[in-house]
Amino acid sequence: MDENSLHCARLATVSETTERLKARTQLAALATEQADPRYAEIERLSTLDLARTMNEADASVPAAVAAVLPEVAAAIDAVADRLAKGGRLRYVGAGTAGRMAVMDAAECPPTFSTDPELVKAIIAGGKAAEGGAVEGTEDDAAAGAAAMAAERIGPEDAVVGLAASGRTPFVVAAVEEARRRGALTVGLSCNRDTRLSAAAEHRIEVEVGPEVVAGSTRLKSGTAQKFVLNMISTISMVRLGKVYRNYMVDMRVANSKLAARAVRMIREITGADAEAAETALAASGEHVKTAVVMLELGVDAAAAKAKLEAAEGRLSGALGAV
C-alpha cells in the first residue's frame, strides 16, 4: 500500500471510530438507557417487594400511552384508510420490538380472518430472530431498506417501525425506504425526538422513562409498544368492519373452544337458542356473520352471504339491508 492509500485508510479508520463513539454517546443519553436511582438496590429486595416494585413501574405505562393517544389515533386512521383501499400493513422491528410485532401480526388471521399477507411483521435477522437474538442484524441498515424492496412496498401500503430507542438502523432505514416509495409510515419509539420519528410521517413517542433494570427495554418500553400495537391492529380491524358491537364476528372457528364462542356470540346477537345457533353456524360454513344474517333476516346461507357481500362484509350493513 502506498503512502497516500495508507493515509486514506487511517482517515477512514478515524472517521469510523468517531462515528461509533458518537453513536454510543447518543445511546447513553436516551431516557430508556438511564439507571434510575430508585432501583439501585433491587437485588437486596425480597421477591415480593421486587415484584411490587416492578408492578408499580409497569403501572406508569398506561399514563405514558394515554399522553400520546391523539398521535396513535391519527396513525390508526391513516393505516385503516390504506387497508380499506386494498393496501397492506407491515410492522418492522428488531429484538423484543420485532418479536412483539410478529406476535401481533400472527394474531390477525385467526382473530379477524384476514389474509396472512394483509398484516405481516418483518424482524431484523428473519425467522431465526423470532425465537432468540441474532447478533448484529439490527445494525444492518441496508438490510432494512432491502426488506422494503423485497416486500414490494408501495404507495398503497402502511409501514410501522418499532424501536424503543428510536435509533435502530435496520428499522430507521426500512421506514425511510418505505416513505421514499410513497408508503404511509409510522415510527413507534419510547424516547423523544428520535431518528425514527424524523424518518416517519406519523410519530408516536411513548416516554416511559428508565427501566427497573437499566436499558432492559423489554420491560416498560416493551409493554408500551404492545399496548400501541394492540390498538393499531384492533382498531384498524374495527374500522374495516371486522367487529360487530364488541364481538369478533370474523374470527376463524378453528377448534372446539372457538366453536363454543361462535355459538355464544350468535345467541347473544340474535337471541336464538343454542340449537338454532349451532344449526345456522353449521349451515353457514362455520362463518359467524353469515349465521347471524341467516337468523336475523330469515334467509338461507347463500342469501345471507350475498347480503354481506353487498355490504362489503359489514354485518351492520347487511342487517340493515332488508
Side-chain angles (χ1 to χ4, degrees), residues 2-309:
D2 60 34
E3 186 174 340
N4 185 57
S5 297
L6 184 61
H7 178 67
C8 289
R10 286 172 178 165
L11 287 177
T13 300
V14 170
S15 177
E16 184 179 340
T17 301
T18 301
E19 286 302 312
R20 282 202 300 266
L21 289 173
K22 181 181 178 182
R24 289 172 183 170
T25 300
Q26 291 172 338
L27 180 63
L30 297 176
T32 51
E33 293 293 321
Q34 304 305 304
D36 192 322
R38 292 177 298 172
Y39 310 130
E41 304 281 333
I42 59 172
E43 79 277 10
R44 298 176 181 271
L45 298 178
S46 70
T47 300
L48 178 57
D49 284 340
L50 184 47
R52 285 174 174 149
T53 296
M54 289 190 68
N55 188 53
E56 288 170 2
D58 288 340
S60 69
V61 174
V65 174
V68 296
L69 285 180
E71 290 86 350
V72 173
I76 293 171
D77 281 339
V79 168
D81 181 63
R82 298 294 173 107
L83 296 181
K85 293 176 180 176
R88 302 166 298 163
L89 171 60
R90 294 293 179 265
Y91 297 138
V92 183
T96 297
R99 285 186 279 278
M100 286 191 302
V102 168
M103 179 174 63
D104 192 83
E107 291 297 328
C108 288
T111 306
F112 303 110
S113 287
T114 59
D115 186 304
E117 283 296 314
L118 182 66
V119 183
K120 284 175 59 177
I122 299 164
I123 182 170
K127 285 286 183 183
E130 292 181 9
V134 179
E135 301 301 333
T137 55
E138 71 171 44
D139 294 329
D140 193 343
M148 298 297 94
E151 287 290 318
R152 302 184 305 281
I153 294 300
E156 70 280 5
D157 299 318
V159 173
V160 178
L162 301 91
S165 67
R167 59 173 294 282
T168 305
F170 179 92
V171 178
V172 173
V175 169
E176 288 175 339
E177 177 63 15
R179 191 169 185 179
R180 188 188 72 79
R181 289 167 167 265
L184 170 81
T185 52
V186 180
L188 171 56
S189 61
C190 295
N191 286 287
R192 181 184 291 274
D193 297 326
T194 68
R195 286 182 58 201
L196 179 57
S197 293
E201 180 180 348
H202 290 266
R203 62 169 61 192
I204 301 173
E205 297 174 337
V206 189
E207 297 182 77
V208 297
E211 302 285 2
V212 171
V213 176
S216 183
T217 52
R218 68 186 182 87
L219 300 177
K220 289 191 296 180
S221 297
T223 301
Q225 290 174 319
K226 181 65 169 68
F227 279 10
V228 176
L229 285 176
N230 283 347
M231 293 180 190
I232 291 173
S233 57
T234 303
I235 298 173
S236 293
M237 295 305 156
V238 171
R239 291 286 168 262
L240 293 177
K242 291 184 171 294
V243 174
Y244 178 70
R245 298 178 187 169
N246 64 331
Y247 295 105
M248 57 172 83
V249 290
D250 249 338
M251 74 172 192
R252 290 180 182 169
V253 182
N255 55 45
S256 58
K257 179 191 76 172
L258 296 178
R261 180 182 294 165
V263 169
R264 186 169 65 251
M265 281 195 287
I266 293 166
R267 294 188 65 189
E268 291 176 359
I269 293 170
T270 68
D273 61 29
E275 182 178 359
E278 289 173 357
T279 299
L281 183 62
S284 72
E286 307 293 312
H287 189 238
V288 174
K289 283 181 177 178
T290 301
V292 169
V293 174
M294 290 169 64
L295 289 168
E296 287 288 84
L297 301 185
V299 298
D300 62 16
K305 289 176 181 178
K307 288 185 178 294
L308 281 167
E309 185 175 350

